[in-house]
Amino acid sequence: MGIIGAGPAGLLLSRLLHLQGIDSVVLENRSRDYVEARIRAGILEQHTVDTLTAAGLGDRLQREGLEHRGIYLQYPGTRHKLDFPELCGRTVWVYGQTEVTKDLIAAQLDGGPPLLFEVSDVRPEDVDGDSPRIRFTDADGVEQVLECDVIAGTDGFHGPSRAVVQGAAGRVWERTYPYAWLGILADAAPATDELIYAWHPEGFALYSMRSPSVSRLYLQVDPAEKIEDWSDDRIWENLATRFALEGWELTTGTITEKSVLPMRSFVSTPMRRGRLFLAGDAAHIVPPTGAKGLNLAVADVTLLAQALVRLLHEKQTDLVDTYSDRALARVWRCTHFSWFMTSMLHRSGDDFDAELQLSQLRRIAASEPAARELAENYTGLPLDL
Ligand code: FAS
Ligand code: PHB
């Protein structure tokens, strides 16, 4: 197996295959430090936790991860708790993607398959035949050729694999949202036990966390905003306004990281061309409002690993032949849910739009079936829909 990209998708796929006796080489164009430092997702669905634990990667997660039993939906005057175990019998975990990546890399470098950092000029070739290969230049500048049985394109939104799969037959769906997220990490004890998704006339805000002493917060901003125009004081003032609630106070602290993140929905089909299979952000991007991106990548590689074991060990093609359709069924479900959460919570359009959003929020607060639908999607639907 040649695996392009050492993000959560590529690293977990290599691990799952390794545990089934299938060798792989993971090729990553960035340095280890860069990959481990990228601040991204924070919420793990139960199936993600179960998959990581079953793959022998759950020790630190179980020690340092925070199990969360719901979220709050907030709109002026109301902060409504959705109790996940009551609604759907499931929970989620707060454990940063940086930590997941560190655990995966540590396991890979401790007797796992080869993981080559800082490669360049990576090109999958002959993917329509039975002997695909990957040409690349290694960290020492030497041109290499990796002969493979199968190639996984887990190289994210900007990697080379999607274009090879797309070719002439592929199709792309894309929606760019008229807003972005300004995200911060702060040395501040979270002032809430569960995440708060807040609708506010001035814009959406999300209260998340990484530990009992580190908060992760987001503000809806215009996509053209420049992070240098946002002083710490301005950020805290906006967060305090959007989370304001009688008898509650935001806790502030030292901001240790801040950035502006674009918001888009993106789906590329199919997720396979011959012996090249896409998984994770290489095939799809969701706006982070539904906390689906990382979890969808894990779901893809769980399905792909099962299919590749069947192909390479049992010489059966039934699961690889249906992989793209089965993965896309869940991709579209998560794409819809991420769009639904994003459209409901972000201020955009006119007052008519605002009334529709508030009506949807009040419906979820008042209706158990409506709340259950959100809870089931947020905590993660079955892998194989
Ligand atoms: P990744 O992008 O993580 O990994 C792809 C890897 O391939 C990278 O290491 C890249 O360096 C490498 N690569 C690229 N081109 C290559 C090449 N030519 N050769 C070799 N390697 C190459 N999801 C959430 O659920 N919640 C969030 O809050 C959230 N926030 C996000 C913020 C940002 C800024 C971004 C970009 C994404 C965010 N996501 C979030 C989504 C994110 O978590 C992804 O879903 C997750 O990283 C997907 O993992 P991979 O598919 O492995 O892709
Ligand atoms: C995060 O903690 O980074 C996070 C949590 C929930 C989301 C998005 C991001 O929906």
Side-chain angles (χ1 to χ4, degrees):
M1 269 297 293
I3 298 177
I4 305 173
L11 290 165
L12 181 57
L13 178 62
S14 179
R15 176 77 177 173
L16 293 176
L17 294 172
H18 175 62
L19 294 173
Q20 296 289 328
I22 294 173
D23 287 337
S24 62
V25 176
V26 182
L27 303 175
E28 168 60 45
N29 65 348
R30 298 286 190 163
S31 69
R32 176 177 181 179
D33 288 348
Y34 182 92
V35 172
E36 291 187 343
R38 266 189 314 229
I39 296 171
R40 286 186 169 170
I43 297 293
L44 305 185
E45 293 173 1
Q46 189 59 53
H47 81 82
T48 297
V49 173
D50 295 345
T51 301
L52 292 170
T53 303
L57 298 157
D59 291 351
R60 196 159 73 96
L61 166 51
Q62 300 290 343
R63 276 200 318 273
E64 297 176 16
L66 304 168
E67 188 172 18
H68 276 232
R69 304 171 61 83
I71 58 171
Y72 293 102
L73 290 182
Q74 178 166 336
Y75 46 93
T78 300
R79 181 175 289 172
H80 177 76
K81 171 78 176 285
L82 271 69
D83 184 319
F84 290 160
E86 195 178 278
L87 287 166
C88 65
R90 293 195 288 263
T91 60
V92 292
W93 288 68
V94 171
Y95 188 68
Q97 180 172 327
T98 47
E99 306 319 305
V100 174
T101 304
K102 286 173 189 169
D103 295 344
L104 284 161
I105 289 175
Q108 192 85 0
L109 298 179
D110 179 21
L115 165 53
L116 309 185
F117 289 105
E118 298 182 86
V119 302
S120 57
D121 199 20
V122 176
R123 286 158 290 156
E125 293 181 351
D126 287 356
V127 300
D128 297 319
D130 289 343
S131 307
R133 74 178 67 81
I134 305 173
R135 289 188 191 280
F136 66 97
T137 303
D138 67 20
D140 298 323
V142 178
E143 167 92 6
Q144 302 285 353
V145 178
L146 180 66
E147 300 293 346
C148 311
D149 292 306
V150 180
I151 299 173
T154 54
D155 40 359
F157 187 67
H158 301 289
S161 298
R162 184 172 64 250
V164 175
V165 169
Q166 273 283 315
R171 184 174 172 185
V172 166
W173 286 264
E174 185 160 15
R175 172 157 302 176
T176 302
Y177 296 90
Y179 32 74
W181 278 11
L182 187 156
I184 67 168
L185 268 182
D187 290 336
T192 176
D193 58 337
E194 303 293 9
L195 274 62
I196 305 171
Y197 288 78
W199 181 98
H200 187 275
E202 292 180 17
F204 169 72
L206 171 59
Y207 205 140
S208 186
M209 59 205 69
R210 288 292 178 270
S211 74
S213 62
V214 177
S215 294
R216 175 72 166 155
L217 300 112
Y218 299 94
L219 277 176
Q220 174 187 342
V221 296
D222 186 286
E225 284 292 337
K226 299 275 180 286
I227 194 65
E228 49 270 21
D229 295 338
W230 283 81
S231 68
D232 293 4
D233 287 347
R234 184 183 180 195
I235 293 171
W236 287 122
E237 280 159 24
N238 275 270
L239 287 167
T241 299
R242 299 185 195 185
F243 288 121
L245 194 73
E246 186 72 28
W248 179 86
E249 196 171 334
L250 174 72
T251 46
T252 61
T254 305
I255 294 178
T256 56
E257 195 274 341
K258 53 183 168 182
S259 57
V260 175
L261 315 172
M263 301 277 279
R264 72 160 66 88
S265 296
F266 180 92
V267 179
S268 171
T269 66
M271 290 174 60
R272 174 203 187 178
R273 174 183 170 181
R275 292 265 174 149
L276 172 57
F277 295 82
L278 299 181
D281 277 18
H284 42 73
I285 297 286
V286 289
T289 327
K292 290 289 152 250
L294 172 57
N295 296 291
L296 203 41
V298 171
D300 287 350
V301 296
T302 302
L303 293 178
L304 183 54
Q306 292 165 352
L308 293 176
V309 167
R310 186 145 167 88
L311 172 73
L312 298 175
H313 278 344
E314 301 166 30
K315 309 302 177 205
Q316 297 296 315
T317 65
D318 55 338
L319 293 185
V320 288
D321 290 344
T322 56
Y323 162 73
S324 182
D325 288 345
R326 286 183 295 119
L328 283 166
R330 205 165 189 284
V331 168
W332 279 112
R333 173 86 308 271
C334 291
T335 297
H336 174 273
F337 177 68
S338 303
W339 165 84
F340 167 76
M341 290 287 281
T342 301
S343 306
M344 174 173 68
L345 287 160
H346 290 73
R347 280 297 285 120
S348 176
D350 57 20
D351 290 347
F352 176 78
D353 297 293
E355 290 308 317
L356 294 181
Q357 290 172 323
L358 289 167
S359 171
Q360 177 66 64
L361 285 161
R362 293 186 188 111
R363 174 66 180 160
I364 293 167
S367 159
E368 189 170 314
R372 178 170 299 113
E373 174 64 11
L374 191 156
E376 287 182 353
N377 279 276
Y378 190 94
T379 58
L381 295 175
L383 276 199
D384 209 337
L385 292 180

